[in-house]
Amino acid sequence: MSRFSPYFGEFGGTFVPEILVPALDQLTQAFEDAIEDPAFQAELGKLLKHFAGRPTPLYEATHLSPNPKVRIFLKREDLLHGGAHKTNQVLAQGLLTQRMGKTEIIAETGAGQHGVATAMVAAMLGLKARIYMGAKDCERQQPNVYRMKLMGAEVIPVHAGSGTLKDAVNEALRDWAANYDKAHYLLGTAAGPHPFPHLVREFQRIIGKEAKAQMIEAIGRLPDAAIACVGGGSNAIGLFADFIEEEGVELVGVEPGGEGLDTGKHGAPIHLGRTGILHGMKSYLMQDDEGQVQESHSISAGLDYPAVGPQHAFLAQTGRAQYVAVTDDEAIAAFKTLCRSEGIIPAIESSHALAYALKRAAAATEEEVLLVNLSGRGDKDLNTIMQLEAGQ
C-alpha cells in the first residue's frame, strides 16, 4: 500500500493518459523505497551539504523592517548552489533517475531556475537533459538559458499558446509519454499528478526543518508567521511542511497579483480560480466561463502559472494557510527596498513575499516575528528590471 494518498481532500489525483500510469507507478515505488533507504538518504545528505551548500543561513534583516516592533528573518535559499531552492529536490530526483535505471531527464522551466538546477545536476550525475521553456520565458530569462546550455542541457523553446510555463509543461509531458522507458520527467514544482506533489514537498521540507531549528536558536521560539511566494508552490510548501502542525505559526502564501486582481492580468488561481484539472492534477485553476484554461500573467516568469499545487488548494480551503496577492509594482518596490537596505538582490518571485512582509510590518501595532523564504537570487531578473526602468 502506498504511504501517501494521491489526494489532499478533494485536490490532487492522477489525471494522465493511460500510457503514463506505469511510469508514475514506478516513480511512486522508487520514491517511497528511497525515502526509507538509509543509503539513499546518506548520499542525498552528502550532496546537499557538499555540492549544494546546505544548511543555508537564517538572516535577520534589521535594516529592512519599516517598524521596530517587527523583526524580519530571511531564509537564504538564494545562497544555495544554483541560486534558488530548486536544487534541493532536483538533486533527489536526479538520484531517483539513476535508481530507476534511466539515463535521461526531461524537464520544463519558467524562470529558468528549475532548468538551471536540472542542467547542473544532470551534468554532475552524467545524465542527458532536455529542458522545455516557453519562448516568451526564454526572452525574459536569457542568462538562465545560457547557463543551461553551458552545462550541456538541450533547451527547447516552446512557441505554442502563450509561450510560458503552462505550454512548456504540455510539451514536456508529450515527450515523457513517448520516452518514459529511458527518461524521467523531473517536475519542478509541488504540482502535477501523484506522486509529484508529495515527492517535491518531502525533498523541499528541508527548508522549513532548518528554519525551524534556526529560529529557535536565534530567538528561542518559532516565528509568528512563515511567508513565501506561490506559483506552483514548491518553495512555499517546503517552508510550510514542518510548520503545518505548529498551530501558533501563521502560514501565508503570496500569489502574483500581476497588474491587479480586477484586471484579469494576474496569476492568482487560489483567489479567482475554480476547481479544475490541469497537468494531471485537480486543483484551483484559472478558467473562463466555458472551463477553458485562462492565460496567467506575472512580471515574474517563475510565478506565471494558471494553477497551483494541490496541497496549497487544500490548505487554503481548510483555512490552515491564508493566501494573499501582491501586484507586479509592489513586488518591484520590495525588490529595490531589499537591495538598498540589506545589499541583497532577491529574485522577483521572492520579492512578492517580501512585499507582503513589508506591508504587514508597516501596519503592525504589536511585536511580531516574520520568517520570509528568500527562494532565489535576482541576478537572473536584472534584464527585466533594467527594461522596466528604461521604459519609465
Side-chain angles (χ1 to χ4, degrees):
M1 176 177 288
S2 177
R3 173 175 174 177
F4 299 107
S5 166
Y7 285 91
F8 303 89
E10 65 174 293
F11 304 106
T14 310
F15 299 89
V16 297
E18 192 172 346
I19 192 173
L20 286 177
V21 171
L24 287 167
D25 287 345
Q26 181 191 29
L27 177 61
T28 301
Q29 191 63 56
F31 161 55
E32 295 194 359
D33 289 347
I35 59 175
E36 298 291 342
D37 182 352
F40 177 88
Q41 293 291 356
E43 186 175 8
L44 177 59
K46 183 178 176 182
L47 289 173
L48 286 170
K49 179 178 180 180
H50 298 292
F51 179 77
R54 300 210 74 90
T56 57
L58 180 77
Y59 172 70
E60 182 171 8
T62 54
H63 307 291
L64 176 66
S65 179
N67 184 344
K69 291 180 178 290
V70 179
R71 300 175 72 179
I72 299 177
F73 288 81
L74 306 177
K75 180 58 175 164
R76 298 291 309 274
E77 292 299 293
D78 60 312
L79 294 180
L80 203 64
H81 181 40
H85 71 290
K86 298 291 186 181
T87 305
N88 298 319
Q89 71 98 12
V90 168
L91 269 174
Q93 288 203 55
L95 293 178
L96 283 179
T97 303
Q98 291 182 320
R99 194 178 178 97
M100 291 186 289
K102 299 182 179 183
T103 57
E104 299 180 4
I105 288 174
I106 298 164
E108 89 303 316
T109 190
Q113 289 173 317
H114 174 59
V116 168
T118 299
M120 192 170 69
V121 170
M124 190 267 290
L125 295 177
L127 300 167
K128 184 177 177 182
R130 53 184 177 277
I131 298 166
Y132 292 87
M133 189 169 185
K136 180 180 174 182
D137 291 339
C138 287
E139 287 296 317
R140 289 195 284 190
Q141 299 292 340
Q142 290 180 24
N144 274 343
V145 173
Y146 188 61
R147 287 187 183 99
M148 286 182 261
K149 291 180 176 177
L150 276 177
M151 291 183 281
E154 179 185 5
V155 181
I156 303 170
V158 176
H159 296 275
S162 59
T164 59
L165 180 59
K166 169 178 68 68
D167 311 294
V169 173
N170 289 337
E171 291 305 312
L173 283 169
R174 287 191 188 96
D175 188 337
W176 194 34
N179 296 289
Y180 66 84
D181 57 330
K182 61 182 178 183
H184 170 56
Y185 177 29
L186 204 161
L187 190 62
T189 193
H194 179 74
F196 284 110
H198 287 289
L199 185 156
V200 173
R201 180 196 66 203
E202 290 305 301
F203 292 129
Q204 292 289 9
R205 179 185 291 272
I206 193 167
I207 301 171
K209 188 174 181 180
E210 279 181 10
K212 197 172 181 180
Q214 289 168 327
M215 287 299 312
I216 291 173
E217 181 181 3
I219 63 171
R221 69 175 179 89
L222 298 179
D224 296 297
I227 303 162
C229 63
V230 176
S234 66
N235 92 90
I237 208 66
L239 179 67
F240 292 173
D242 255 35
F243 288 105
I244 289 174
E245 301 302 322
E246 303 288 351
E247 295 183 357
V249 179
E250 190 180 338
L251 306 179
V252 185
V254 185
E255 291 194 296
E259 296 181 9
L261 294 180
D262 58 349
T263 66
K265 298 190 72 173
H266 58 79
I270 294 179
H271 276 82
L272 295 173
R274 306 196 312 272
T275 302
I277 293 173
L278 181 68
H279 298 148
M281 65 175 177
K282 184 178 182 183
S283 188
Y284 290 134
L285 171 64
M286 292 169 55
Q287 305 170 67
D288 63 18
D289 292 340
E290 283 74 43
Q292 298 298 312
V293 180
Q294 284 187 317
E295 301 296 346
S296 58
H297 164 80
S298 172
I299 194 171
S300 166
L303 301 181
D304 197 349
Y305 186 58
V308 66
Q311 191 168 9
H312 285 295
F314 178 70
L315 291 172
Q317 187 183 62
T318 58
R320 175 61 189 96
Q322 66 160 313
Y323 293 83
V324 300
V326 156
T327 66
D328 291 345
D329 288 345
E330 290 171 326
I332 295 303
F335 171 96
K336 292 180 178 178
T337 298
L338 186 64
C339 290
R340 291 168 183 168
S341 64
E342 300 285 353
I344 298 171
I345 302 174
I348 297 177
E349 288 91 333
S350 314
S351 301
H352 286 71
L354 286 169
Y356 169 77
L358 289 171
K359 284 198 291 186
R360 177 169 171 152
T365 56
E366 304 289 337
E367 291 187 353
E368 267 199 322
V369 176
L370 306 180
L371 169 64
V372 178
N373 194 28
L374 204 65
S375 57
R377 70 184 188 217
D379 50 346
K380 69 179 180 57
D381 293 320
L382 295 185
N383 281 341
T384 300
I385 300 297
M386 287 189 288
Q387 287 170 5
L388 277 174
E389 292 186 339
Q392 288 175 352

